[in-house]
Amino acid sequence: MNVERRISVVSGLIGICVIRKILKRRAARKNKKRKLWQEEWLKKRDVGKGVLSLLQNELLHEDPEAYRNFLRMDNDTFMELLTLIDDIIKKQDTQLRQSIPSDKRLAVTLRYLASGNTFRDLMYATRIHESTISIIVMEQGGFRASNEALLTRNKFCDYFNTVGSVEWQNKSIGLV
């Protein structure tokens, strides 16, 4: 058998092995039990559980100072900001699931900017998956590495160190 024929036979055998492997993987995928679309505990966000529900249902009405401390702004400022960007951050519901309302999208972004918590920490507090939080924050400018993002960060920094400051912040970072 000449060399070219051997190469042809070997490449044919390799091709058959590859095809068999692909078919086995496809069969295994069909038999594999699918994961849930969403974890059960995350679905409870809409039934009044989680820190965002606490924020809107209790802190806003019962303890406005705690509300201000949480978001680093009062409700009037929050609502003003929301009306400015609502059309930009609003998402449509689909047949598969309801979208996260724009007020919750803004609240989780502000909490991320104000607290420095990780997306995983925010996931457990808000009942919004960390990958979704990262998308929300990125869409609202929390990750853009550009001059505009730096300007936005500086505006937030100025706000949180002047009008939006809370009593304990300077003590906690060692300025007092």
Side-chain angles (χ1 to χ4, degrees):
M1 201 186 290
N2 65 15
V3 174
E4 292 162 355
R5 179 74 178 140
R6 284 183 188 170
I7 291 173
S8 176
V9 170
V10 169
S11 62
L13 291 173
I14 291 172
I16 290 171
C17 291
V18 168
I19 291 171
R20 278 187 172 172
K21 198 170 206 171
I22 290 170
L23 291 175
K24 281 183 182 179
R25 283 185 185 166
R26 284 185 183 168
R29 276 191 222 146
K30 285 182 182 179
N31 295 333
K32 185 178 178 181
K33 187 176 179 182
R34 301 198 129 225
K35 285 184 76 174
L36 294 174
W37 183 263
Q38 185 179 28
E39 300 294 334
E40 287 299 318
W41 66 272
L42 289 171
K43 291 179 184 177
K44 294 177 183 169
R45 172 180 66 241
D46 298 329
V47 293
K49 295 190 177 185
V51 76
L52 296 177
S53 293
L54 168 74
L55 182 69
Q56 290 298 316
N57 299 331
E58 296 178 40
L59 293 182
L60 176 61
H61 306 291
E62 297 172 16
D63 193 351
E65 188 56 34
Y67 179 94
R68 184 178 182 278
N69 187 15
F70 185 83
L71 288 180
R72 305 296 292 271
M73 63 180 62
D74 60 19
N75 188 52
D76 292 337
T77 307
F78 178 81
M79 294 309 291
E80 183 180 341
L81 183 59
L82 183 61
T83 55
L84 291 172
I85 65 171
D86 186 49
D87 290 337
I88 300 168
I89 65 173
K90 187 185 330 179
K91 300 293 181 185
Q92 287 187 331
D93 293 340
T94 67
Q95 290 181 354
L96 298 176
R97 66 180 119 164
Q98 290 184 336
S99 65
I100 297 169
S102 52
D103 62 331
K104 290 185 180 183
R105 296 170 72 81
L106 178 58
V108 76
T109 301
L110 290 173
R111 186 63 186 161
Y112 169 74
L113 293 170
S115 69
N117 286 356
T118 64
F119 294 147
R120 175 137 318 161
D121 287 342
L122 289 171
M123 174 180 72
Y124 293 121
T126 62
R127 295 181 185 259
I128 299 173
H129 197 275
E130 63 186 318
S131 62
T132 305
I133 292 173
S134 72
I135 291 168
I136 290 170
V137 170
M138 198 167 21
E139 286 175 349
Q140 294 182 46
F143 275 154
R144 286 180 286 176
S146 67
N147 289 336
E148 183 183 344
L150 293 174
L151 291 173
T152 303
R153 185 194 67 190
N154 290 338
K155 284 180 187 177
F156 274 110
C157 184
D158 290 343
Y159 174 81
F160 290 134
N161 287 312
T162 56
V163 178
S165 67
V166 291
E167 296 173 11
W168 52 264
Q169 75 183 33
N170 290 337
K171 186 178 178 182
S172 69
I173 59 174
L175 293 178
V176 175

